């Protein structure tokens, strides 16, 4: 009876280690995915900012070139009005892009939460199958059963 209890405790310990290792791997995967998503968003933001800067630089270059050809505007108020209008337009475009990005981020967060909730409703076997964990678990169980001197069939029957 004591041997049976010890054998069961060892089996439970093996299963507990496998479950802990599985969830640690899932945590690493989620962290990696989160970091990858953040890096992509940063890259997109930097590209958009660069495009805005290039567009603004091009518009300024065109204004300077126009001034060189035509000469300085006779009325500085008209020149400032054109420049202010361009800045307002650039600011509005940047604001609209930021709003669109926030909406995309919210949608991605909602989708990820739904995926995690779906994973939460799955059984352990389904999660193992989904994340290809069964091969690793089988190899670990075989190694543990070899270490305890029992056959894989005896371990499976227990």
């Amino acid at each position: 009876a004591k041997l049976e209890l010890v054998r069961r405790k060892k089996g439970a310990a093996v299963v507990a280690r496998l479950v802990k290792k599985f969830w640690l791997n899932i945590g690493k995967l989620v962290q990696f995915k989160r970091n990858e998503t953040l890096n992509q968003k940063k890259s997109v933001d930097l590209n958009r900012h660069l495009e805005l800067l290039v567009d603004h630089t091009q518009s300024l270059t065109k204004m300077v070139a126009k001034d060189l050809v035509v000469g300085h505007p006779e009325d500085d108020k008209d020149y400032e009005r054109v420049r202010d209008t361009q800045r307002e337009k650039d600011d509005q475009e940047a604001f609209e892009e930021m709003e669109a990005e926030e909406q995309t981020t919210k949608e991605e967060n909602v989708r990820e939460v739904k995926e995690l909730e779906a994973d939460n409703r799955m059984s352990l076997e389904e999660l193992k199958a989904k994340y290809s964990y069964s091969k690793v678990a089988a190899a670990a169980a075989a190694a543990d059963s070899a270490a305890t001197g029992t056959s894989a069939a005896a371990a499976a029957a227990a």
Side-chain angles (χ1 to χ4, degrees):
K2 279 189 174 185
L3 291 175
E4 178 66 22
L5 182 62
V6 169
R7 190 177 65 77
R8 285 187 179 186
K9 284 183 178 180
K10 285 183 181 179
V14 168
V15 170
R17 280 192 306 267
L18 290 174
V19 168
K20 182 178 179 181
K21 186 176 180 180
F22 170 77
W23 286 110
L24 286 174
N25 287 336
I26 294 297
K28 289 177 186 177
L29 178 68
V30 168
Q31 183 65 33
F32 174 77
K33 188 174 180 180
R34 183 181 307 133
N35 288 341
E36 197 64 29
T37 303
L38 287 174
N39 288 339
Q40 287 175 352
K41 288 178 183 177
K42 285 179 184 178
S43 176
V44 167
D45 287 344
L46 290 174
N47 286 337
R48 286 182 182 165
H49 186 66
L50 180 62
E51 288 175 12
L52 285 173
L53 289 175
V54 168
D55 290 343
H56 187 67
T57 303
Q58 286 176 346
S59 66
L60 290 176
T61 303
K62 287 178 184 176
M63 282 193 278
V64 169
K66 185 178 177 182
D67 287 346
L68 289 176
V69 172
V70 175
H72 291 291
E74 280 140 45
D75 189 4
D76 287 336
K77 290 181 181 179
D78 288 340
Y79 178 74
E80 288 178 14
R81 184 179 46 83
V82 169
R83 188 179 63 199
D84 290 343
T85 303
Q86 181 64 33
R87 283 186 184 159
E88 288 175 7
K89 181 180 173 188
D90 290 344
D91 290 345
Q92 182 64 26
E93 288 174 0
F95 181 72
E96 289 172 358
E97 287 178 7
M98 288 173 48
E99 284 182 336
E101 181 182 324
E102 287 178 11
Q103 182 64 27
T104 303
T105 302
K106 288 177 184 176
E107 291 170 357
E108 288 174 359
N109 289 343
V110 168
R111 182 186 48 79
E112 186 173 353
V113 167
K114 286 181 182 178
E115 288 177 8
L116 290 173
E117 287 174 347
D119 284 354
N120 190 30
R121 288 189 294 271
M122 290 182 174
S123 69
L124 184 58
E125 289 77 23
E126 292 172 328
L127 286 170
K128 285 180 181 179
K130 181 176 180 180
Y131 294 105
S132 300
Y133 188 74
S134 60
K135 294 176 185 175
V136 174
D144 285 341
S145 66
T148 61
T150 60
S151 68

